[in-house]
């Protein structure tokens, strides 16, 4: 641990960054669960196999979209606006699915948490959590773990 001024601030900022990334991962999992829940409960008159297809297929489609465009190691590297569109479709779809299964308050809470989490991730992306000291050295004395050296960071870990 460094005794230089500002070292505690950098460590606190890294903790907030890590906490926000963890929250993003939890939100992503929650969105997939909500999409699955909606799929299994949608369409009261549908045959049982169709419920299964929606319950498995909807989150599977979300995973494919996410892994292609929005994941930290996405196969395709689109511009940030397209990444935001994919995140809005998947995470917003999770909130919409939660609303559709009869939980409007929880859906609004999820949507607000998604927006705040995404905004904080953008703030951290534009200002990395590691700050340089007066002599140009890393104040915390360790390697920067903000984005693993990549040019584009993800809102979530997943």
């Amino acid at each position: 641990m460094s005794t230089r001024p500002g070292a505690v601030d950098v460590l606190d900022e890294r903790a907030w960054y890590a906490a926000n990334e963890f929250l993003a991962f939890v939100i992503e999992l929650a969105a997939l669960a909500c999409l699955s829940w909606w799929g299994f409960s949608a369409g009261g008159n549908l045959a049982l196999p169709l419920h299964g297809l929606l319950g498995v297929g909807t989150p599977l489609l979300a995973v494919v979209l996410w892994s292609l465009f929005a994941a930290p190691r996405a196969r395709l590297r689109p511009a940030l606006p397209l990444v935001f569109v994919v995140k809005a479709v998947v995470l917003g779809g999770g909130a919409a699915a939660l609303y559709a299964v009869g939980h409007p308050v929880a859906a609004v809470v999820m949507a607000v948490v998604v927006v705040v989490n995404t905004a904080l991730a953008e703030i951290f992306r534009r200002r990395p959590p590691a700050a340089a000291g007066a002599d140009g050295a890393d104040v915390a004395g360790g390697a920067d773990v903000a984005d693993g050296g990549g040019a584009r960071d993800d809102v979530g870990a997943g």
Side-chain angles (χ1 to χ4, degrees):
M1 170 112 27
S2 176
T3 57
R4 288 179 263 175
V8 174
D9 293 339
V10 170
L11 293 177
D12 288 344
E13 194 170 319
R14 285 182 184 206
W16 281 110
Y17 173 83
N20 194 59
E21 291 297 306
F22 177 74
L23 177 61
F25 182 66
V26 170
I27 292 168
E28 293 159 16
L29 293 178
L32 294 176
C34 291
L35 289 168
S36 182
W37 184 10
W38 170 82
F40 281 114
S41 64
N45 295 337
L46 294 176
L48 187 59
L50 292 177
H51 286 287
L53 285 175
L54 283 175
V56 174
T58 306
L60 184 61
L61 178 62
V63 167
V64 169
L65 279 173
W66 196 271
S67 65
L68 285 175
F69 301 109
R73 295 187 180 123
R75 303 229 358 140
L76 305 173
R77 296 299 225 171
L80 195 57
L82 181 58
V83 173
F84 283 146
V85 167
V86 171
K87 290 181 181 193
V89 167
V90 173
L91 301 177
L98 194 54
Y99 182 86
V101 296
H103 296 281
V105 174
V108 169
V109 169
M110 181 175 178
V112 168
V113 170
V114 165
V115 169
V116 170
N117 177 264
T118 303
L120 287 174
E122 266 308 294
I123 290 169
F124 283 126
R125 182 177 294 114
R126 296 187 191 286
R127 189 188 69 190
D135 60 357
D138 184 4
V139 174
D144 182 58
V145 295
D147 65 354
R152 181 177 68 96
D153 194 18
D154 184 39
V155 171

